Amino acid sequence: MATSRRTFLLGLAAGSAGLGAGRLGRNALWASEATALAAARKRAAHRTRRIVFNNDGDDIWAAGADTTSRFLAMRHTPLIGTHVDSIHYCTTQSFNLFTHQTKIGEVFTARGGQFADNNLEKFLAQDTDGLRMSSDFAHEHGMESIWTLRMNDIHDAWTPEFRPQWKNADPSRTMSTLDNAKEFQDRRRLWSLVDFEHPDVEPRLLDIIREVLVNYHVDGIELDFLRAPFYFRTTYEGLAATDAQTAVLTKLVRAIRQVVLQESQRQGQPILLSARVPSTVALGRKIGIDITRWLQDRLVDVLSAGGGYITFDLPVKQLVDLAHEHDVPVYPCLSQSGLMYRPPRGANTKQPNEAWLGAAARLWNEGADGIYTFNLFPGPGSAEERIAAQKVLATIGSSERLSQSTIMYAISDAGWWMPSHYWAKDVADFSKALPMPLRANEYERTSLYVPEDLRGAGFNVTAELRVDFTGLTAESNPEILFGSANFGPTASGEQIAEVRRFVCQVPVQSIAQGANRVMVKTQANGAQLAGAELWIRR
């Protein structure tokens, strides 16, 4: 296969120059091949990806996923007919422990406890695994297949089955120990993080990556720097990465780039290098990622942005514009983790599909090249959950479909949980997220962003504002303003979870495209604005 692709590329290069192989000579011939390969890489980087579907790979141990067809039925076959154009399949369980065939790393075949249904050993006996089945499926259905490598996954910090011998063999490779971590309630609980200043890390990663590119038919690899986003002892302790540490990650990515380019040349086809990074340059620098330098030095072909923790107000436009200056497409991330009703607004319940639609519409408006989904799976689970996921995946990849759908816009709600999350708070900006404290008898102002122009909306389009508060007394009737609509004192309200919700009908013509002011005032001391949603029904 590699020979035929190389022959094709050579013929393409020679044909476009109007010269034969003999006349070019060996050096010119290789230069022509490199030119053709570079052009093919550019086309591959800019292929259509309406939705990039991240599959975290735990379907390999799902109950009943013990044959190829049953495995694919969990999360792959439901993608047919949706907007998914790229499947990113993850095999990382922790650093050096994988669910793909490897002689470099360690293979996760444990079947104890929660992993009683781990089917990997059975598949390995058939010379296949999740990545191989995923790649074959993607190519059969015209989709892109990308292997996702989580750069510093730490699920082994609390799941002993995920702990690789590579870490146990030399404890200096990790940030701390389980015993030392028990005294902390912050990022330092993630004791099994690998220290990327350790000399064993770079050669180990390069060997792992090279082995996958040689043995698997994938279109590229993704370096997921957000699982988990700490690479040095300083950042593990809450300090910003130093310039020297930032240079360590840049050097690593440069070395990985060389491996990818070398293997692309050997195979005679472009293999892409993608990276999932924080949503802003500043957040990246905080943990040691110099996104600007990576783009300037053409180290990556594609970027995915953010962990999906901030949904409706993801500050991604700066990164999108910067990447586009360097001709690199960007796919901002939406995650189920950021689309939950957490206390006080709910008991970790999923937000409705309409929330995914509103968040995606905002990202398209910011110039995204597509939407990257995380933890949105059509299985395993109930038929209702499967259908809901399929509907989202068949809608958010099209701005036209979104503009025709009932949709929910909102102010991002971090609740009480997300800002204290062990790593989310280090790679997301929650400064504009709710809840917002309120002072008694004073208007407090924020804004809710609506990306679409509703001035030409028909009479069949209606709008409803839902505003949630905590800390109100039973007699409190808050005053609510939205854009140019003043609803005055709003009576009653409904108790939802731990909030009181007030619902206002909003004149559609009063909704501006862009930021709409939200102003609230209560008489209660200690009240908070906990949520604000604008539902556009059509």
Side-chain angles (χ1 to χ4, degrees):
M1 182 68 76
T3 302
S4 63
R5 288 194 182 95
R6 173 164 290 179
T7 301
F8 168 76
L9 289 169
L10 286 171
L12 177 65
S16 62
L19 295 172
R23 187 174 171 188
L24 282 169
R26 182 176 180 182
N27 291 338
L29 185 64
W30 283 108
S32 298
E33 180 183 13
T35 300
L37 193 55
R41 173 177 300 280
K42 185 65 65 177
R43 289 193 298 272
H46 287 277
R47 68 177 290 166
T48 298
R49 300 179 187 88
R50 294 167 296 177
I51 294 178
V52 173
F53 176 78
N54 181 291
N55 185 339
D56 67 9
D58 63 2
D59 48 357
I60 198 68
W61 62 73
D66 54 354
T67 67
T68 298
S69 61
R70 290 173 182 167
F71 168 81
L72 294 174
M74 289 288 173
R75 292 182 183 166
H76 285 76
T77 53
L79 304 180
I80 297 173
T82 70
H83 294 158
V84 173
D85 296 310
S86 181
I87 300 176
H88 284 40
Y89 194 84
C90 175
T91 64
T92 315
Q93 305 312 308
S94 64
F95 191 101
N96 204 63
L97 184 67
F98 302 99
T99 55
H100 68 261
Q101 293 170 305
T102 174
K103 295 180 180 179
I104 303 297
E106 299 165 54
V107 182
F108 178 69
T109 56
R111 298 200 63 184
Q114 63 180 308
F115 306 110
D117 294 306
N118 188 352
N119 302 296
L120 181 57
E121 197 163 21
K122 180 183 294 186
F123 283 122
L124 291 176
Q126 302 170 42
D127 198 30
T128 192
D129 53 43
L131 178 59
R132 205 172 299 282
M133 289 184 286
S134 178
S135 177
D136 289 346
F137 173 88
H139 293 145
E140 179 183 350
H141 295 279
M143 302 176 188
E144 181 182 53
S145 174
I146 302 292
W147 172 56
T148 291
L149 172 63
R150 292 181 174 179
M151 297 300 284
N152 212 358
D153 196 290
I154 42 67
H155 282 81
D156 58 331
W158 55 82
T159 306
E161 294 90 342
F162 287 155
R163 204 158 298 150
Q165 289 302 313
W166 187 83
K167 290 183 180 180
N168 293 334
D170 183 355
S172 71
R173 292 167 172 164
T174 59
M175 301 292 188
S176 186
T177 65
L178 177 60
D179 287 341
N180 289 338
K182 289 178 180 177
E183 63 180 287
F184 301 110
Q185 290 297 329
D186 55 27
R187 68 181 64 77
R188 288 170 291 182
R189 296 280 288 186
L190 309 178
W191 64 272
S192 64
L193 283 158
V194 169
D195 179 4
F196 272 50
E197 288 186 289
H198 196 286
D200 294 347
V201 172
E202 181 177 311
R204 169 65 43 155
L205 283 173
L206 295 180
D207 287 344
I208 288 168
I209 290 168
R210 186 179 292 107
E211 182 187 45
V212 168
L213 295 184
V214 169
N215 293 337
Y216 288 85
H217 181 203
V218 293
D219 300 302
I221 68 169
E222 177 191 49
L223 310 178
D224 187 348
F225 283 96
L226 298 185
R227 305 291 285 185
F230 307 109
Y231 297 92
F232 309 105
R233 295 186 184 277
T234 50
T235 55
Y236 169 68
E237 294 170 356
L239 303 174
T242 66
D243 289 344
Q245 290 168 335
T246 300
V248 168
L249 284 190
T250 298
K251 176 177 175 291
L252 171 64
V253 175
R254 193 181 306 279
I256 293 172
R257 180 65 165 181
Q258 287 303 309
V259 171
V260 170
L261 293 178
Q262 289 166 4
E263 189 56 27
S264 295
Q265 186 177 46
R266 187 188 72 82
Q267 294 187 24
Q269 64 172 339
I271 299 172
L272 299 179
L273 181 58
S274 176
R276 190 161 82 110
V277 298
S279 58
T280 70
V281 171
L283 286 170
R285 283 303 299 259
K286 180 180 178 182
I287 62 172
I289 294 175
D290 189 348
I291 301 172
T292 303
R293 181 66 178 271
W294 294 6
L295 291 169
Q296 289 174 342
D297 292 356
R298 298 193 299 174
L299 300 184
V300 293
D301 302 298
V302 178
L303 282 180
S304 302
Y309 308 118
I310 286 290
T311 49
F312 300 96
D313 305 292
L314 183 68
V316 75
K317 191 172 189 334
Q318 176 206 40
L319 181 60
V320 168
D321 290 346
L322 175 64
H324 286 177
E325 288 178 15
H326 296 277
D327 204 21
V328 171
V330 180
Y331 300 86
C333 175
L334 293 180
S335 171
Q336 186 68 73
S337 300
L339 285 158
M340 303 284 286
Y341 287 128
R342 303 189 187 277
R345 300 183 71 205
N348 296 322
T349 52
K350 294 179 180 180
Q351 293 188 11
N353 280 5
E354 290 83 359
W356 284 87
L357 274 54
R362 172 71 187 272
L363 296 178
W364 282 113
N365 188 67
E366 296 290 273
D369 294 279
I371 307 297
Y372 186 110
T373 65
F374 198 89
N375 279 345
L376 176 65
F377 302 133
S382 67
E384 182 181 10
E385 291 173 321
R386 176 180 293 255
I387 292 170
Q390 285 177 304
K391 285 183 177 179
V392 170
L393 294 171
T395 306
I396 63 173
S398 165
S399 295
E400 182 178 359
R401 287 287 301 274
L402 291 171
S403 68
Q404 298 168 353
S405 303
T406 292
I407 198 167
M408 184 188 106
Y409 300 114
I411 302 174
S412 291
D413 163 27
W416 298 332
W417 176 82
M418 195 62 75
S420 63
H421 188 278
Y422 289 161
W423 66 72
K425 65 189 181 69
D426 287 87
V427 288
D429 179 4
F430 294 102
S431 61
K432 296 181 181 179
L434 300 179
M436 181 175 75
L438 305 175
R439 291 169 291 187
N441 300 308
E442 292 187 31
Y443 275 111
E444 300 290 350
R445 177 171 179 166
T446 183
S447 60
L448 189 155
Y449 196 93
V450 178
E452 61 179 305
D453 185 355
L454 292 164
R455 289 175 298 178
F459 292 109
N460 63 320
V461 179
T462 61
E464 176 183 282
L465 179 68
R466 300 178 181 180
V467 187
D468 295 343
F469 295 89
T470 59
L472 296 185
T473 62
E475 302 78 25
S476 296
N477 293 317
E479 296 185 44
I480 300 173
L481 289 79
F482 179 83
S484 60
N486 187 338
F487 300 100
T490 307
S492 57
E494 179 184 5
Q495 190 71 24
I496 305 289
E498 301 170 47
V499 300
R500 279 181 65 195
R501 173 169 295 169
F502 297 83
V503 178
C504 310
Q505 303 305 312
V506 180
V508 174
Q509 299 304 321
S510 71
I511 301 172
Q513 183 179 23
N516 289 260
R517 68 173 182 170
V518 177
M519 298 182 68
V520 297
K521 181 171 73 171
T522 77
Q523 285 117 13
N525 287 308
Q528 289 188 324
L529 175 63
E533 301 174 354
L534 180 68
W535 285 71
I536 308 297
R537 303 187 183 280
R538 48 198 159 201

